[in-house]
Amino acid sequence: MPRYMVQRTFDGGLMIPADAQGAQVCATVVDKNLDHNVTWVHSYVSDDKRTTFCVYDAPTPEAIRKAAADNGLPVDSITQVRVLDPYFSH
């Protein structure tokens, strides 16, 4: 399955509480993504919480866009990526 980096901008900042309510929000996103065969791997959030960089496994960028629309999430860009780490020679 291809891997993608999705950049999103949240004008008011991304506010997901670190509690049961926040966990439920994330679980709902994961469940809706499955409708499009999209898997949220993890995300990076900027210090000001306005920009996220999310790693996804998905069949196509369009599947990510559809899942994002179902979840009410913005999509600024989608880039197919591959892992490169400093330990590839070991």
Side-chain angles (χ1 to χ4, degrees):
M1 178 91 54
R3 180 156 284 183
Y4 298 93
M5 179 73 68
V6 178
Q7 184 173 345
R8 306 177 193 282
T9 301
F10 295 89
D11 292 333
L14 178 65
M15 302 300 167
I16 298 177
D19 59 15
Q21 180 185 3
Q24 183 57 51
V25 167
C26 291
T28 299
V29 169
V30 169
D31 287 344
K32 287 182 181 179
N33 285 349
L34 291 176
D35 292 341
H36 303 284
N37 200 25
V38 171
T39 301
W40 175 21
V41 178
H42 62 262
S43 296
Y44 300 94
V45 182
S46 64
D47 282 342
D48 64 5
K49 298 183 181 174
R50 292 174 43 97
T51 305
T52 63
F53 303 90
C54 306
V55 178
Y56 282 90
D57 291 335
T60 64
E62 187 58 31
I64 294 171
R65 285 187 190 89
K66 288 177 181 177
D70 286 356
N71 283 302
L73 295 171
V75 173
D76 297 344
S77 65
I78 300 173
T79 304
Q80 188 169 351
V81 296
R82 288 180 177 41
V83 173
L84 171 64
D85 66 43
Y87 309 105
F88 65 89
S89 64
H90 300 307

